[in-house]
Amino acid sequence: MDSMGCQMNTADAERMEGQLRSLGFARAEEGTPAQVVVLNTCSIREHAEAKVYSYLGPHAARKRAGEDLAIVVAGCVAQQEGEALLRRVPEIDMVMGPQYANRLGDLLEGVFNGNQIAPTHIMEDPTQPQRSSTVCAWVNVIYGCNERCTYCVVPTTRGSEQRGSEQSRPRDAVRAEIEALVAEGYREVTLLGQNIDSWGSDLSPKQSFADLLRDVGGVDGLARMRFVTSHPRYMSPRVIDAVAEVPALCPMFHIPFQSGDDGILRDMGRGHTAARYREIVHNIRTRLPDAAITADAIVGFPGETEEQFENTLQLMRDVRFDQINTAAYSPRPHTPAAVWGDQVEEGVKKERLRRINELAAEHALERRQRYLGRVEEVLVEKRNERHPAQVKGRNPQGCPVFFEGDIDELKGQLVPVRIVEARPYSLVGERAEGRFAGGRYADDGESVVVEA
Ligand code: SAH
Ligand code: SF4
Ligand code: F3S
């Protein structure tokens, strides 16, 4: 099982792996030939299809040589390309889009019976994922995306039968999943949705995402809750209030701005302006001055002038983001902007990407420095593979923190850590005496590890 792409794809991969395990399969050891090969694909940027073909090459060759194996292509390229993949690589047994992730198990039966499959009907059946962490878990709250950003494939790859229609999971189902996770020992949950603010607008009666947050953020025993992705067009001040008031909700917001120029934002079909974005940031900083704000941005969108690109850099200078996922615009199949005449030259895109990354890293480092000398509450997730004497966790703002410690003792614990080094995208610290009470650090030396 190999997975690419966003957290939604990772969550789907965990779901698919859970089904394979309940059918009696286990992960193939590194270097041994797998009986079932699942490639969970991402289509967000260029070369996605080419990557799929080159990945599948060796497995297709095994099959042609007479080996008995099943090849499954899942995820967003599967949805986008559909049966074309089966025609191009006849060794593929099944092509299944993201909405079939919970059906891998029963669909495989058809494959074992010798059929080539490209399913077209959705069946609700919540399966048990095989989660890769025992501390942090992902929980989908809304599937699909109703937006039509002119650069984006997601509405076509993660839509339902009707192109792109959003489907919210009922509040009780979300709550039940989180309660079950807490009962299993999970400490942190990240809620997932492409436009998470629109959760509940398709339910009847309509419900708001802020209310969902207040409800499920209060599940007993849950230490931390995060959520992605917020959309500036839909994000309501009530969400900021909920984060400020519900203790488990972490002070961090991931709100892509994509561009700092109103003309480009209009062409992107984003439905918000740069001023609206600044207003949201202002509201967050007023209520939660220490919150992390992260984003996605695209440079070199068709027609983007140097001046328009400068507006993006200016927005960054005004906001000072904790982190930005940047990308050069990449034309995607079946998206309007891909066929526009005013494509930006590759060299220019590359140069802008270099400049935006440089500024983003500068701001990231500047933002990390506010933690220096402070004691941060760190939820320990795993060993630092590169330095086995260290463990890795994150502070409430979501920044990775490394410090010396024993993973068997600390995994899943909230530990006070004094920050001694700030890097652009991580922190290094030392375990501190004292403890956190009600989110505040008390240097009373009473206990080192806080049991929540
Ligand atoms: N639903 C989220 C993000 C979805 S895709 C949102 O609306 O913000 C993740 C990110 O990939 C996007 O935020 C965008 O910055 C980037 N992206 C999407 N399509 C792209 C394209 N064609 N070229 C370059 N980057 C793209
Ligand atoms: Fe894509 Fe826009 Fe939907 Fe995000 S909101 S998934 S960028 S169409
Ligand atoms: Fe990629 Fe699909 Fe996610 S295209 S970014 S895996 S929604």
Short mmCIF file of all heavy atoms in Angstrom, two decimals, residues 26 47 81 83 93 114 118 121 180 184 200 206 208 233 248 262 269 276 282-283 287 291 310 315 333 369 412:
data_model
loop_
_atom_site.label_atom_id
_atom_site.label_comp_id
_atom_site.label_asym_id
_atom_site.label_seq_id
_atom_site.Cartn_x
_atom_site.Cartn_y
_atom_site.Cartn_z
N ALA A 26 -1.31 -8.99 5.56
CA ALA A 26 -0.41 -8.16 6.37
C ALA A 26 0.47 -7.40 5.39
O ALA A 26 0.55 -7.76 4.21
CB ALA A 26 0.43 -9.04 7.27
N HIS A 47 2.31 15.65 -13.72
CA HIS A 47 2.99 14.35 -13.81
C HIS A 47 2.31 13.28 -12.97
O HIS A 47 2.87 12.21 -12.77
CB HIS A 47 4.46 14.46 -13.39
CG HIS A 47 5.20 15.58 -14.06
ND1 HIS A 47 5.06 15.85 -15.40
CD2 HIS A 47 6.06 16.51 -13.58
CE1 HIS A 47 5.81 16.89 -15.71
NE2 HIS A 47 6.42 17.32 -14.62
N GLU A 81 -9.05 9.37 -14.17
CA GLU A 81 -8.76 8.64 -15.40
C GLU A 81 -9.71 7.47 -15.64
O GLU A 81 -9.91 7.05 -16.77
CB GLU A 81 -7.31 8.13 -15.40
CG GLU A 81 -6.27 9.23 -15.27
CD GLU A 81 -6.26 10.15 -16.49
OE1 GLU A 81 -6.15 9.63 -17.61
OE2 GLU A 81 -6.38 11.37 -16.31
N GLU A 83 -11.63 4.25 -16.43
CA GLU A 83 -11.33 3.06 -17.23
C GLU A 83 -10.18 3.26 -18.20
O GLU A 83 -9.61 2.30 -18.71
CB GLU A 83 -12.59 2.59 -17.95
CG GLU A 83 -13.62 2.12 -16.94
CD GLU A 83 -14.89 1.58 -17.60
OE1 GLU A 83 -14.82 1.24 -18.80
OE2 GLU A 83 -15.91 1.52 -16.91
N ASP A 93 -6.06 -4.54 -12.05
CA ASP A 93 -7.28 -5.30 -11.78
C ASP A 93 -8.43 -4.39 -11.40
O ASP A 93 -9.58 -4.70 -11.66
CB ASP A 93 -7.03 -6.29 -10.64
CG ASP A 93 -6.03 -7.35 -11.05
OD1 ASP A 93 -6.41 -8.22 -11.84
OD2 ASP A 93 -4.86 -7.26 -10.62
N GLY A 114 -11.41 -13.04 -10.67
CA GLY A 114 -10.92 -12.90 -12.03
C GLY A 114 -11.50 -11.75 -12.85
O GLY A 114 -11.34 -11.70 -14.06
N ALA A 118 -14.09 -1.42 -12.28
CA ALA A 118 -14.09 0.04 -12.08
C ALA A 118 -15.46 0.39 -11.52
O ALA A 118 -16.41 0.59 -12.26
CB ALA A 118 -13.83 0.76 -13.40
N HIS A 121 -20.86 2.66 -8.13
CA HIS A 121 -21.90 2.96 -7.15
C HIS A 121 -21.31 3.06 -5.75
O HIS A 121 -20.48 2.26 -5.36
CB HIS A 121 -22.98 1.87 -7.14
CG HIS A 121 -23.60 1.68 -8.47
ND1 HIS A 121 -24.48 2.59 -9.01
CD2 HIS A 121 -23.45 0.71 -9.39
CE1 HIS A 121 -24.83 2.17 -10.21
NE2 HIS A 121 -24.23 1.04 -10.46
N ALA A 180 -15.05 6.56 20.20
CA ALA A 180 -14.41 5.25 20.09
C ALA A 180 -12.88 5.41 20.05
O ALA A 180 -12.14 4.61 20.64
CB ALA A 180 -14.90 4.54 18.84
N GLU A 184 -10.04 3.98 22.67
CA GLU A 184 -8.89 3.17 22.26
C GLU A 184 -7.57 3.77 22.72
O GLU A 184 -6.51 3.17 22.52
CB GLU A 184 -8.83 3.09 20.73
CG GLU A 184 -9.63 1.99 20.12
CD GLU A 184 -9.48 2.05 18.61
OE1 GLU A 184 -8.38 1.83 18.09
OE2 GLU A 184 -10.49 2.37 17.95
N GLY A 200 -22.39 20.66 7.36
CA GLY A 200 -23.72 20.85 7.93
C GLY A 200 -24.69 21.58 7.03
O GLY A 200 -25.89 21.52 7.24
N LYS A 206 -30.26 22.35 8.74
CA LYS A 206 -28.89 22.81 8.55
C LYS A 206 -28.18 22.96 9.89
O LYS A 206 -28.80 23.34 10.88
CB LYS A 206 -28.89 24.18 7.88
CG LYS A 206 -29.04 24.12 6.41
CD LYS A 206 -28.75 25.47 5.81
CE LYS A 206 -29.05 25.42 4.32
NZ LYS A 206 -28.55 26.54 3.60
N SER A 208 -24.18 24.19 11.78
CA SER A 208 -22.97 24.94 11.47
C SER A 208 -21.74 24.22 12.00
O SER A 208 -21.79 23.49 12.99
CB SER A 208 -23.05 26.34 12.08
OG SER A 208 -22.72 26.28 13.45
N ARG A 233 -13.85 32.19 2.23
CA ARG A 233 -15.17 32.65 1.83
C ARG A 233 -16.23 32.24 2.86
O ARG A 233 -17.24 32.91 3.03
CB ARG A 233 -15.51 32.03 0.48
CG ARG A 233 -16.86 32.39 -0.07
CD ARG A 233 -17.00 31.69 -1.41
NE ARG A 233 -18.19 32.11 -2.12
CZ ARG A 233 -18.46 31.72 -3.37
NH1 ARG A 233 -17.60 30.94 -4.01
NH2 ARG A 233 -19.55 32.11 -3.96
N ALA A 248 -10.01 21.90 24.26
CA ALA A 248 -9.31 20.91 23.43
C ALA A 248 -8.97 21.44 22.05
O ALA A 248 -8.10 20.90 21.36
CB ALA A 248 -10.14 19.64 23.31
N ASP A 262 -6.55 40.61 -5.95
CA ASP A 262 -7.99 40.43 -6.16
C ASP A 262 -8.34 39.98 -7.58
O ASP A 262 -9.30 39.22 -7.77
CB ASP A 262 -8.75 41.72 -5.82
CG ASP A 262 -8.80 41.95 -4.31
OD1 ASP A 262 -8.47 40.99 -3.56
OD2 ASP A 262 -9.16 43.06 -3.88
N GLY A 269 -11.74 32.05 -9.09
CA GLY A 269 -13.09 31.70 -8.62
C GLY A 269 -13.14 31.43 -7.13
O GLY A 269 -13.95 30.63 -6.66
N ARG A 276 -10.76 40.63 2.63
CA ARG A 276 -11.52 39.68 3.44
C ARG A 276 -10.54 38.76 4.20
O ARG A 276 -10.74 38.46 5.37
CB ARG A 276 -12.45 38.88 2.52
CG ARG A 276 -12.93 37.55 3.05
CD ARG A 276 -14.13 37.68 3.96
NE ARG A 276 -14.55 36.34 4.44
CZ ARG A 276 -14.97 36.09 5.66
NH1 ARG A 276 -15.07 37.05 6.54
NH2 ARG A 276 -15.31 34.88 6.01
N HIS A 282 -7.11 39.38 11.14
CA HIS A 282 -7.28 40.36 12.21
C HIS A 282 -8.17 39.79 13.33
O HIS A 282 -7.86 39.92 14.52
CB HIS A 282 -7.88 41.65 11.64
CG HIS A 282 -8.22 42.67 12.69
ND1 HIS A 282 -7.25 43.47 13.26
CD2 HIS A 282 -9.39 42.98 13.29
CE1 HIS A 282 -7.83 44.25 14.17
NE2 HIS A 282 -9.13 43.96 14.21
N ASN A 283 -9.28 39.16 12.93
CA ASN A 283 -10.18 38.58 13.94
C ASN A 283 -9.48 37.50 14.76
O ASN A 283 -9.68 37.41 15.98
CB ASN A 283 -11.43 37.99 13.27
CG ASN A 283 -12.31 39.06 12.68
OD1 ASN A 283 -12.20 40.24 13.03
ND2 ASN A 283 -13.17 38.68 11.75
N ARG A 287 -8.57 37.73 18.93
CA ARG A 287 -9.05 36.76 19.93
C ARG A 287 -7.96 35.84 20.44
O ARG A 287 -7.94 35.43 21.58
CB ARG A 287 -10.17 35.89 19.33
CG ARG A 287 -11.44 36.60 19.15
CD ARG A 287 -12.62 36.10 19.91
NE ARG A 287 -12.54 35.70 21.29
CZ ARG A 287 -13.46 35.01 21.91
NH1 ARG A 287 -14.51 34.59 21.26
NH2 ARG A 287 -13.35 34.69 23.17
N ALA A 291 -2.10 32.28 18.18
CA ALA A 291 -2.49 31.18 17.28
C ALA A 291 -1.55 31.11 16.09
O ALA A 291 -1.03 32.13 15.63
CB ALA A 291 -3.93 31.38 16.80
N GLU A 310 3.59 40.36 -6.61
CA GLU A 310 4.04 41.20 -5.49
C GLU A 310 2.93 41.36 -4.45
O GLU A 310 3.20 41.45 -3.26
CB GLU A 310 4.48 42.59 -6.01
CG GLU A 310 5.91 42.63 -6.51
CD GLU A 310 6.95 42.44 -5.41
OE1 GLU A 310 6.62 42.70 -4.24
OE2 GLU A 310 8.07 41.99 -5.72
N LEU A 315 0.84 40.47 1.01
CA LEU A 315 -0.10 39.85 1.96
C LEU A 315 0.69 39.04 3.00
O LEU A 315 0.41 39.09 4.20
CB LEU A 315 -1.10 38.95 1.23
CG LEU A 315 -2.10 38.23 2.15
CD1 LEU A 315 -3.11 39.22 2.75
CD2 LEU A 315 -2.86 37.13 1.41
N PRO A 333 -6.16 18.36 -15.82
CA PRO A 333 -7.21 17.97 -16.76
C PRO A 333 -8.60 18.41 -16.31
O PRO A 333 -8.88 18.40 -15.09
CB PRO A 333 -7.13 16.43 -16.77
CG PRO A 333 -5.97 16.04 -15.94
CD PRO A 333 -5.42 17.23 -15.27
N GLN A 369 10.52 31.91 16.51
CA GLN A 369 11.36 32.48 17.57
C GLN A 369 10.56 32.91 18.77
O GLN A 369 11.10 33.04 19.86
CB GLN A 369 12.20 33.61 17.00
CG GLN A 369 13.07 32.98 15.93
CD GLN A 369 14.25 33.77 15.52
OE1 GLN A 369 14.22 34.98 15.57
NE2 GLN A 369 15.26 33.07 15.08
N GLY A 412 2.11 9.53 23.74
CA GLY A 412 0.72 9.87 24.07
C GLY A 412 0.58 10.78 25.29
O GLY A 412 -0.53 11.10 25.69
#
